[in-house]
């Protein structure tokens, strides 16, 4: 992750791993359809994660 | 528009990344592929943030609207396609080693597609669009270019195919990269045209038909003497004939005249624009033969990137959210 941030400074880097794992533990089977692809709850989680980053960068309110 | 590239690092997710960007106002699928640099560690999502999305709620609403199951499943199909390409690119000698392996790959792909699209309301369209392209692509790679480096695993599958064909073209104008690659798709669209204009072809009959192409070539002293695409039902399309070439270019208008689906006509136009783009780009260098009655027009500023965005956008229009 640090290497990526350094090599691609223009890239906004998010790490949703912890959020996904936490959510999967709380609500098993609600985040991924197959361990890889996100279900609706997973999408919402990711959307919120991205939105938080966009707000932090003042791209949205 | 504000372009944003968001990189998601997920160690437990295998190597896939997706690009999304907004068209005029909404999210749309743009391109997709693998990143060899950080493969198996990374998922990437590319967005163009619509400047009308100024608050968190509208962003999330738009994001979720895009990532509904139906559209996501189309992405999955493309992922399977990309997986085949990646697998082929990763093999030791850079190629699929044997016809058995190729058959195995295709079978896996088809079974995956069948499974994934089982819930699609119009699944036959996805199959009929993807299948001949994939079949033809892999067959062509296998049969024609055993010594050539495979395309980069970066970028989306369609781009890879286009690049590959562009790089490995073209002893004959009608073997030219994307135009050649897109022949099966154009054939399929022509079939669609006939289907929509003829009551004699039953819906079930059309749907159950698996279009398989076989190509025949005669090469003497390094020169291509004969090249034709033969369909399963032995209909021969010889694109070295000007009338066939012209007919392809007239398909969108014919479809519209016949009251056909506007989206299919738009798909045709995109394919023809792309073909024309490459034909015009190579007409002098490769001494291409263009029939006199064919006008090769490309919209100003047209590029393969525009094609990819438009093409996938139209494809998705078959599956309203």
């Amino acid at each position: 992750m640090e290497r990526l941030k350094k090599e691609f400074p223009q890239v906004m880097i998010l790490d949703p791993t912890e959020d996904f794992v936490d959510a999967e533990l709380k609500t098993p089977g609600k985040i991924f359809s197959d361990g890889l692809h996100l279900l609706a709850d997973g999408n919402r989680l990711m959307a919120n994660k991205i939105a938080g980053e966009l707000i932090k960068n003042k791209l949205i309110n | 528009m504000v372009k944003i590239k968001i990189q998601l690092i997920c160690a437990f997710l295998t190597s896939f990344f997706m690009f999304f960007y907004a068209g005029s106002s909404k999210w749309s699928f743009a391109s997709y592929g693998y990143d060899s640099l950080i493969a198996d560690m990374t998922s990437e999502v590319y967005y163009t943030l619509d400047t009308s999305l100024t608050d968190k709620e509208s962003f999330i609403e738009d994001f979720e609207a895009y990532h509904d199951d139906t559209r996501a499943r189309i992405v999955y199909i493309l992922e399977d396609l990309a997986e085949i390409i990646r697998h082929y690119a990763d093999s030791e000698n850079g190629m699929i080693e044997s016809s058995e392996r190729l058959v195995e790959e295709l079978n896996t792909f088809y079974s995956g597609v069948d499974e994934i699209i089982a819930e699609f309301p119009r699944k036959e369209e996805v199959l009929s669009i993807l299948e001949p392209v994939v079949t033809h692509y892999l067959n062509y790679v296998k049969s024609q270019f055993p010594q050539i480096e495979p395309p980069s695993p970066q970028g989306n599958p369609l781009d890879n195919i286009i690049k590959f064909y562009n790089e490995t073209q073209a002893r004959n104008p009608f073997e030219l990269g994307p135009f050649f690659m897109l022949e099966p798709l154009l054939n399929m669209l022509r079939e669609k045209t006939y289907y929509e204009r003829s009551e004699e072809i039953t819906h079930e009959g059309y749907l159950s038909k698996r279009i398989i192409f076989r190509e025949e070539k005669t090469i003497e002293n390094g020169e291509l003497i004969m090249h034709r695409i033969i369909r399963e039902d032995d209909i021969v399309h010889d694109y070295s004939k000007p009338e066939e070439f012209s007919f392809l270019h007239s398909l969108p208008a014919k479809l519209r005249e016949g009251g056909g689906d506007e989206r299919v006509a738009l798909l045709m136009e995109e394919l023809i624009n792309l073909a024309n783009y490459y034909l015009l780009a190579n007409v002098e260098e490769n001494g291409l033969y263009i029939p006199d009655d064919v006008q090769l027009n490309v919209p100003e500023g047209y590029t393969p990137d525009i094609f990819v965005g438009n093409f996938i956008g139209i494809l998705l229009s078959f599956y309203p959210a």
Side-chain angles (χ1 to χ4, degrees), chain A residues 12 14-15 37 43-44 61, chain B residues 7 54 64 67 76 79:
Chain A
M12 183 186 299
L14 302 177
D15 183 0
H37 300 109
N43 284 330
R44 192 169 303 113
N61 300 315
Chain B
Q7 191 142 340
T54 56
E64 290 184 330
H67 285 80
Y76 301 166
E79 286 179 5

Side-chain angles (χ1 to χ4, degrees), chain A residues 17-39:
Chain A
T17 309
E18 197 173 320
D19 303 70
F20 285 154
V21 170
D22 286 348
E24 187 66 28
L25 288 172
K26 287 176 186 169
T27 55
K30 293 281 190 182
I31 303 301
F32 294 102
S33 63
D34 53 4
L36 179 64
H37 300 109
L38 294 174
L39 292 169

Side-chain angles (χ1 to χ4, degrees), chain A residues 40-57:
Chain A
D41 285 5
N43 284 330
R44 192 169 303 113
L45 189 65
M46 191 158 82
N48 274 284
K49 184 83 176 172
I50 295 170
E53 195 70 17
L54 296 177
I55 292 170
K56 196 193 299 181
N57 286 275

Side-chain angles (χ1 to χ4, degrees), chain B residues 39-52:
Chain B
D40 299 322
M41 286 290 291
T42 303
S43 301
E44 293 188 5
V45 185
Y46 290 79
Y47 296 98
T48 297
L49 183 65
D50 189 337
T51 47
S52 69

Side-chain angles (χ1 to χ4, degrees), chain B residues 62-291:
Chain B
D62 218 43
F63 186 98
E64 290 184 330
Y66 177 74
H67 285 80
D68 66 79
D69 285 345
T70 302
R71 291 188 176 213
R73 283 172 189 277
I74 294 177
V75 176
Y76 301 166
I77 290 173
L78 296 177
E79 286 179 5
D80 286 340
L81 173 55
E83 183 65 36
I84 290 175
I85 293 171
R86 188 175 77 100
H87 191 69
Y88 134 74
D90 285 347
S91 61
E92 281 186 14
N93 63 359
M95 295 298 298
I96 295 171
E97 292 91 345
S98 67
S99 57
E100 290 77 14
R101 172 84 170 275
L102 179 64
V103 169
E104 184 183 332
E105 294 279 356
L106 286 172
N107 285 338
T108 302
F109 175 73
Y110 289 144
S111 65
V113 170
D114 285 342
E115 195 174 312
I116 288 168
I117 67 175
E119 298 167 24
F120 275 12
R122 300 180 70 177
K123 64 180 181 180
E124 70 280 359
E125 286 169 344
V126 173
L127 255 189
S128 61
I129 287 171
L130 287 179
E131 181 178 275
V133 174
V134 177
T135 303
H136 196 64
Y137 169 61
L138 292 178
N139 283 339
Y140 192 67
V141 168
K142 174 74 175 83
S143 64
Q144 294 300 309
F145 297 106
Q147 305 302 326
I148 293 177
E149 287 294 315
S152 164
Q154 295 190 16
N156 70 71
L158 205 54
D159 267 346
N160 280 343
I161 293 170
I162 293 165
K163 279 181 190 168
F164 179 73
Y165 274 82
N166 199 32
E167 288 166 3
T168 56
Q169 60 180 297
R171 289 157 297 183
N172 175 292
F174 303 98
E175 195 183 355
L176 187 68
F179 195 75
F180 181 80
M181 178 270 288
L182 295 170
E183 280 177 354
L185 184 48
L186 288 166
N187 276 336
M188 185 282 297
L189 295 172
R190 176 154 55 183
E191 183 79 3
K192 179 77 172 171
T193 306
Y194 289 150
Y195 159 64
E196 292 189 340
R197 299 177 67 184
S198 169
E199 295 179 357
E200 294 176 5
I201 302 175
T202 66
H203 191 63
E204 291 74 19
Y206 173 73
L207 300 186
S208 65
K209 188 165 190 172
R210 173 162 288 219
I211 303 170
I212 296 175
F213 293 88
R214 176 164 57 91
E215 65 179 346
E216 286 187 359
K217 285 186 176 184
T218 302
I219 299 174
E220 293 179 6
N221 300 322
E223 294 293 321
L224 186 70
I225 305 300
M226 183 277 291
H227 177 210
R228 62 182 181 178
I229 307 295
I230 301 173
R231 248 182 46 184
E232 187 181 39
D233 54 3
D234 287 337
I235 295 175
V236 177
H237 299 290
D238 181 353
Y239 292 101
S240 62
K241 292 179 179 175
E243 59 268 28
E244 287 275 6
F245 193 86
S246 300
F247 179 70
L248 285 175
H249 282 71
S250 69
L251 281 176
K254 287 178 183 296
L255 180 63
R256 289 191 174 101
E257 288 168 13
D261 192 321
E262 173 65 16
R263 297 167 301 182
V264 177
L266 288 171
L267 275 177
M268 289 176 175
E269 287 180 341
E270 286 299 331
L271 294 171
I272 290 169
N273 281 339
L274 182 71
N276 288 351
Y277 172 86
Y278 280 104
L279 286 168
L280 285 171
N282 291 278
V283 66
E284 290 185 3
E285 183 180 347
N286 294 316
L288 298 182
Y289 164 67
I290 307 296

